[in-house]
Amino acid sequence: MSMFSHITVGCTDLERSARFYDALLLPLGLARRPVVPDGGPEAACWTVPGQVLPRFFVFRPYDGKPMSAGNGSMVAFLAPSPAAVDHAYAEALAHGGKDEGTPGPRPRYGEGYYGAYLRDPDGNKIHIAHRGDIS
């Protein structure tokens, strides 16, 4: 059983955010899936192909108020290899991301840990991690 059902982050421009997350998540093995309208705001969603959960969503806030990036909040995506971290990071930067920590070893987090940090176009903090300590 997965620990999470889903994770959501807000955005100001869904099309721009969807392009950014397509670029970031495709190298990590995630794919965008259709979102069935449920009465909430229009959204984009990604999953591991063939799996129902967990899901990652991006959408404009339900309450209609301006979105803001959470201070101290971060979403971390698992990468299958250090090369996938590098690829996803480069693609994300090319699609509006902002550097928060270039790809490289992070030995203080564990043996074989390799990661990168960035912000999406709306300022949400993203971490891409290869966990060599659990592979």
Side-chain angles (χ1 to χ4, degrees), residues 7-14 16-22 24-25 46 56-59 67-70 73-75 77 88-89 91-100 117-128:
I7 296 171
T8 63
V9 297
C11 71
T12 56
D13 180 330
L14 184 59
R16 178 185 70 179
S17 290
R19 286 190 304 271
F20 171 85
Y21 282 106
D22 280 341
L24 171 72
L25 298 176
W46 293 262
F56 176 74
F57 288 94
V58 62
F59 61 91
M67 75 75 51
S68 63
S73 299
M74 180 177 68
V75 176
F77 292 99
Y89 175 83
E91 285 296 312
L93 290 183
H95 287 83
K98 305 285 186 233
D99 172 58
E100 285 281 323
Y117 296 90
L118 59 135
R119 297 226 178 233
D120 75 6
D122 288 296
N124 295 299
K125 191 168 184 180
I126 305 296
H127 180 50
I128 312 162

Side-chain angles (χ1 to χ4, degrees), residues 5 34 38 105 111 129:
S5 166
D38 63 0
E111 183 70 29

